[in-house]
Amino acid sequence: MTEKEKMLNGEFYDSRDPELIRIYHKARKLLLEYNNLNSENIKEREKILKLLFDFVGKGIWIEAPFYCDYGENISIGENTFVNTNCMFLDNNKISIGKNGLIAPYVQIYTASHPLKASERIVQEGNKSRYKTFTRPVDIGDNVWIGGNSIICPGITIGNNVTIGAGSVVTKNIPDNVLAYGNPCKVMRELE
């Protein structure tokens, strides 16, 4: 199994693997170009996003600057808006449905590490490395995620959900609810 396959399977993998580093550098080049484009250059922006992401729905809009690790693990549905300074750590799949609103400074993480340093850090002679594993993030249709929110690895957010600003989402969120806080909790149903 390749390191990329291990990464996408949620197993420990080597993040410095040459194949992953190549994908990372490709994404960095595309992001540099995207983040420096004139906002009026719509066709070029769309072209770059199609090269960067796995799937791009019609009518998506991503404000610059935008950041991600690999890009190719991201799918975004039609008419979704991603505001400025968002970071999608796409070491595993990040799927966002249609008609989403992602506010400024939202962070979506798929990568994680063992909690105990003795399990996280591997000593190899004079060098050390760390263990990393991943879990996908799935965000439904018609979801609004408020500014400065963090979506942790392995989270599923249902359809028609509003996540309040500054939330840290550590557990799955069902359809049709308002949820917020640190940790994020369902506060009420939305009709």
Side-chain angles (χ1 to χ4, degrees), residues 53-56 71-77 93-97:
F53 293 159
D54 182 44
F55 175 78
V56 177
E72 69 179 35
N73 297 320
I74 299 171
S75 296
I76 301 180
K93 301 291 184 182
I94 295 175
S95 299
I96 301 171

Side-chain angles (χ1 to χ4, degrees), residues 34 36-43 45 61-64:
Y34 186 85
N36 286 295
L37 272 176
N38 182 312
S39 62
E40 294 175 330
N41 197 340
I42 305 295
K43 290 200 183 293
R45 289 167 56 106
W61 187 278
I62 297 180
E63 285 289 335

Side-chain angles (χ1 to χ4, degrees), residues 76-80 96-101 139-143 159:
I76 301 180
E78 64 187 50
N79 300 317
T80 290
I96 301 171
K98 63 182 180 181
N99 303 315
L101 293 172
I139 298 170
D141 295 336
N142 313 313
V143 173
N159 296 317

Side-chain angles (χ1 to χ4, degrees), residues 83-178:
N83 215 320
T84 190
N85 281 306
C86 288
M87 174 61 187
F88 293 3
L89 204 64
D90 66 312
N91 304 76
N92 204 314
K93 301 291 184 182
I94 295 175
S95 299
I96 301 171
K98 63 182 180 181
N99 303 315
L101 293 172
I102 311 294
Y105 293 94
V106 168
Q107 301 163 64
I108 301 175
Y109 300 143
T110 63
S112 193
H113 311 280
L115 296 179
K116 291 174 63 177
S118 61
E119 295 173 6
R120 181 173 57 247
I121 301 167
V122 178
Q123 195 67 39
E124 295 173 335
N126 295 354
K127 297 181 180 181
S128 62
R129 64 179 176 83
Y130 50 88
K131 291 183 178 180
T132 303
F133 64 93
T134 67
R135 300 287 181 263
V137 170
D138 188 26
I139 298 170
D141 295 336
N142 313 313
V143 173
W144 175 20
I145 300 176
N148 284 308
S149 292
I150 298 171
I151 314 300
C152 291
I155 295 301
T156 296
I157 297 174
N159 296 317
N160 310 309
V161 169
T162 298
I163 303 291
S167 294
V168 178
V169 185
T170 60
K171 294 188 172 146
N172 293 342
I173 305 294
D175 293 346
N176 304 306
V177 297
L178 167 65

Side-chain angles (χ1 to χ4, degrees), residues 56-68:
V56 177
K58 289 183 181 180
I60 75 162
W61 187 278
I62 297 180
E63 285 289 335
F66 171 79
Y67 306 98
C68 65

